[in-house]
């Protein structure tokens, strides 16, 4: 039976469907992308994530998998014979998972507050976010990718947020290039990859979208 | 496979540390347990986990591994030929186990803890209701995952059993504090029976802290505001 892979998402989602898209592209796995809005019931026969009431969902042969890092590991395990994204050595693998988890836990909250809020809340969030960027810059060091020579798990996890970087820079009033040159060059290298270019959301569209939401949230 | 000495930085009261210890027990790995002193963080902890500065940290042949669920997976992989598998073998089952383990930490535990930190009856009632709703989800998850077997992982305890089961000591402490049953034999019968089996597992039994000792520690950690 041929594999049927569906990605169900909302295009500006900060929950990083781009992560799964990049991974599937690197593995050469075809998928069907279906857009939905988070507050609208899907017409597909599967239910939206019943617990978190959110998308994105990766649906493989009818079975749904939620959460970007879990999807990433799943993709790596199912399509294990091409382009491994995680190292095979247990210690190196644990390090990759650690950084994936760091990005997952530490990035999202301050990041959305930087573009989505104003005043004290934004100032505090920006300080926190810049610290996390600094940690990521240090961890990258002089490596080509977080995976060393391999554009791997951590790279894909972080690039999943890339569509939002410009919005965060604009509303947070800082420049990743100026403050984190290594990270900036790393993004450029990642953007040379077809899998990335074809998977990430349009940064300018996201800025427009974020502007609308800022007004809605009362940040402007 | 790398052998070499194994150390674990942790505390007897920590749920997250217990996860690592259960995994090490399952694989019959002997290790040196470095008990942290409450209220301070040792040099070794700060050096081994500079990013989060938290326990547990597993140090295997001088290399540190951090974050409890990552440590459990590491133990399963580094000692893959020892003892039973901790993670399921099929990718989809692994994804489900990881999803629910993340749910335990990100949703269920947060609700449980908010009972201890609740100020006033209203807040406490709301927190209890949230825990009950989320425990109900876990009951369904158990039925789906276990497939009629004794544990989430099937015949032997595994990743998700460890993720949730490590909370059982604190679960009881919060019940006492709230004066309200939070693992109800009639509302969540499968989980209730699973909890007993989990606590009696030889890999778990020596590690589960005594409820009164833990309750005393909880009072230090979550002091009640003066009336």
């Amino acid at each position: 039976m041929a594999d049927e892979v569906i990605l169900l998402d909302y295009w500006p989602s900060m929950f990083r469907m781009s992560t799964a898209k990049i991974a599937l592209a690197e593995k050469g796995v075809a998928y069907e992308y279906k857009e939905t809005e988070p507050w609208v019931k899907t017409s597909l026969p599967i239910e939206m994530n019943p617990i978190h009431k959110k998308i994105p969902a990766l649906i493989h042969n009818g079975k749904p998998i939620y959460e970007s890092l879990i999807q990433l590991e799943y993709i790596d395990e199912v399509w294990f014979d091409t382009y491994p994204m995680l190292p095979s050595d247990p210690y190196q693998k644990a390090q990759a998972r650690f950084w994936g988890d760091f990005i997952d836990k530490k990035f999202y909250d301050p990041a959305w507050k930087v573009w989505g809020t104003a005043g004290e809340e934004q100032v505090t969030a920006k300080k926190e976010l810049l610290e996390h960027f600094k940690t990521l810059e240090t961890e990258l060091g002089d490596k080509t990718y977080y995976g060393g020579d391999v554009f791997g798990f951590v790279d894909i996890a972080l690039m999943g947020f890339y569509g939002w970087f410009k919005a965060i820079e604009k509303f947070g009033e800082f420049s990743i290039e100026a403050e984190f040159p290594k990270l900036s060059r790393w993004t450029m290298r990642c953007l040379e990859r077809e899998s990335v270019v074809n998977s990430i959301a349009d940064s300018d569209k996201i800025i427009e979208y974020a502007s609308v939401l800022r007004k809605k949230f009362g940040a402007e | 496979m790398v052998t070499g000495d194994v150390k674990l930085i942790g505390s007897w009261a920590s749920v997250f540390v217990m996860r690592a210890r259960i995994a090490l027990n399952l694989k019959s790995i002997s290790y040196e347990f470095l008990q942290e002193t409450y209220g301070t963080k040792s040099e070794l902890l700060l050096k081994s986990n500079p990013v989060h500065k938290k326990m547990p940290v597993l140090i295997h042949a001088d290399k540190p591994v951090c974050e409890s669920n990552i440590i459990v997976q590491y133990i399963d992989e580094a000692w893959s030929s020892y003892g039973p598998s901790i993670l399921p073998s099929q990718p989809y089952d692994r994804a489900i186990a990881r999803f629910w383990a993340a749910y335990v930490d990100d949703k269920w535990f947060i609700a449980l803890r908010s009972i201890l930190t609740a100020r006033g009856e209203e807040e406490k009632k709301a927190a209890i209701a949230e825990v009950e709703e989320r425990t109900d989800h876990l009951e369904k998850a158990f039925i789906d995952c276990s497939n009629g077997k004794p544990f989430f992982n099937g015949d032997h305890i595994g990743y998700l059993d460890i993720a949730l089961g490590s909370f059982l000591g604190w679960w009881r402490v919060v019940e006492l504090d709230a004066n309200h049953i939070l693992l109800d034999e009639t509302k969540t019968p499968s989980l209730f029976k699973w909890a007993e089996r989990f606590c009696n597992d030889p890999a778990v039994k020596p590690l589960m802290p005594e409820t009164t000792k833990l309750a005393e520690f909880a009072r230090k950690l979550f002091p009640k505001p003066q009336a």
Side-chain angles (χ1 to χ4, degrees):
Chain A
M1 183 187 76
D3 274 321
E4 184 203 54
V5 181
I6 300 173
L7 298 184
L8 183 65
D9 196 19
Y10 178 48
W11 73 268
S13 170
M14 267 191 85
F15 297 109
R16 298 178 294 156
M17 185 97 267
S18 325
T19 301
K21 282 179 173 179
I22 296 170
L24 290 166
E26 291 285 341
K27 298 273 188 185
V29 176
Y31 61 87
E32 188 188 341
Y33 178 68
K34 289 188 202 265
E35 275 275 340
T36 187
E37 296 198 343
W39 48 84
V40 168
K41 276 213 173 88
T42 177
S43 59
L44 289 183
I46 52 97
E47 10 166 62
M48 294 205 291
N49 184 333
I51 303 300
H52 297 283
K53 296 182 177 59
K54 70 176 191 242
I55 40 183
L58 162 72
I59 306 158
H60 182 211
N61 296 334
K63 292 191 190 165
I65 298 112
Y66 309 107
E67 307 291 317
S68 18
L69 292 190
I70 295 176
Q71 290 164 353
L72 215 49
E73 290 225 42
Y74 177 81
I75 291 167
D76 206 32
E77 287 167 7
V78 170
W79 292 281
F80 60 88
D81 45 2
T82 48
Y83 201 85
M85 298 178 319
L86 275 168
S88 52
D89 171 69
Y91 182 74
Q92 297 304 331
K93 202 184 270 201
Q95 297 314 301
R97 285 182 177 136
F98 176 86
W99 288 107
D101 179 70
F102 176 86
I103 291 161
D104 215 34
K105 293 220 167 63
K106 297 288 197 177
F107 195 85
Y108 177 77
D109 210 51
W112 93 255
K113 282 180 181 156
V114 167
W115 68 258
T117 68
E120 266 307 305
E121 200 176 359
Q122 192 196 39
V123 167
T124 309
K126 181 179 166 180
K127 185 163 177 277
E128 198 187 325
L129 187 65
L130 291 181
E131 270 167 33
H132 297 328
F133 268 129
K134 183 157 195 293
T135 304
L136 290 169
E137 169 100 342
T138 308
E139 174 55 24
L140 178 66
D142 295 314
K143 298 199 288 279
T144 308
Y145 299 113
Y146 283 95
D149 293 325
V150 174
F151 173 72
F153 186 80
V154 181
D155 303 278
I156 297 173
L158 188 52
M159 276 313 277
F161 276 122
Y162 180 78
W164 282 89
F165 280 9
K166 286 217 165 66
I168 291 165
E169 284 177 297
K170 177 185 162 82
F171 297 113
E173 291 173 2
F174 70 96
S175 155
I176 292 174
E177 190 181 350
E179 307 229 18
F180 311 106
K182 291 182 179 172
L183 202 62
S184 180
R185 285 194 292 273
W186 165 82
T187 65
M188 296 296 120
R189 285 194 288 276
C190 294
L191 288 167
E192 285 170 14
R193 303 183 76 87
E194 209 179 306
S195 66
V196 172
V197 165
N198 292 337
S199 305
I200 52 176
D202 184 308
S203 292
D204 294 323
K205 267 191 172 169
I206 291 213
I207 289 176
E208 248 177 72
Y209 174 74
S211 286
V212 170
L213 281 185
R214 272 179 74 79
K215 293 193 180 78
K216 204 169 169 181
F217 294 160
E220 324 225 326
Chain B
M1 192 209 68
V2 180
T3 47
D5 71 317
V6 182
K7 297 183 172 74
L8 184 72
I9 305 176
S11 152
W12 64 274
S14 162
V15 167
F16 307 103
V17 171
M18 195 187 310
R19 288 177 180 166
R21 299 180 82 179
I22 294 171
L24 289 164
N25 282 357
L26 283 172
K27 300 287 189 181
S28 306
I29 304 296
S30 44
Y31 60 98
E32 190 187 349
F33 185 59
L34 301 171
Q35 168 78 44
E36 287 283 297
T37 309
Y38 173 66
T40 63
K41 291 183 196 237
S42 68
E43 274 298 310
L44 185 62
L45 174 63
L46 297 174
K47 195 179 89 164
S48 316
N49 191 357
V51 174
H52 299 303
K53 305 178 176 54
K54 284 183 173 169
M55 54 173 139
V57 181
L58 180 81
I59 307 177
H60 182 205
D62 295 323
K63 296 199 281 195
V65 181
C66 308
E67 295 298 297
S68 63
N69 287 337
I70 293 174
I71 292 172
V72 170
Q73 292 182 85
Y74 173 78
I75 291 167
D76 198 29
E77 288 158 8
W79 288 283
S80 54
S81 50
Y82 287 46
S85 279
I86 296 177
L87 260 82
S89 54
Q90 292 304 310
Y92 186 71
D93 297 329
R94 291 158 74 90
I96 296 298
R98 286 177 177 136
F99 174 84
W100 285 111
Y103 180 81
V104 167
D105 282 352
D106 300 341
K107 302 282 178 197
W108 182 85
F109 166 55
I110 303 302
L112 188 77
R113 193 173 61 185
S114 66
I115 296 177
L116 285 177
T117 57
R119 279 171 296 211
E121 274 310 302
E122 280 311 305
E123 250 184 62
K124 192 157 99 168
K125 263 195 202 157
I128 290 172
E130 212 163 55
V131 170
E132 287 181 331
E133 190 195 326
R134 292 172 187 190
T135 304
D136 198 53
H137 285 138
L138 292 171
E139 168 84 359
K140 294 193 178 78
F142 178 81
I143 293 164
D144 284 338
C145 296
S146 64
N147 235 335
K149 300 252 172 102
F151 299 106
F152 282 95
N153 199 42
D155 291 313
H156 310 284
I157 68 173
Y159 184 74
L160 183 51
D161 299 278
I162 295 171
L164 181 61
S166 313
F167 275 106
L168 283 163
W170 279 95
W171 206 330
R172 279 188 220 109
V173 165
V174 178
E175 276 187 333
L176 288 173
D177 182 86
N179 195 25
H180 187 104
I181 293 178
L182 294 170
L183 183 56
D184 194 309
E185 193 171 0
T186 45
K187 289 187 189 162
T188 54
S190 308
L191 273 187
F192 186 86
K193 292 190 203 83
W194 161 83
E196 238 176 88
R197 287 192 293 268
F198 181 84
C199 290
N200 284 321
D201 189 282
V204 176
K205 205 162 180 180
L207 298 172
M208 195 60 77
E210 206 189 51
T211 310
T212 34
K213 192 178 175 199
L214 198 57
E216 202 185 306
F217 181 76
R219 282 189 283 276
K220 251 199 283 185
L221 215 56
F222 298 97
K224 294 293 173 203
Q226 297 300 318

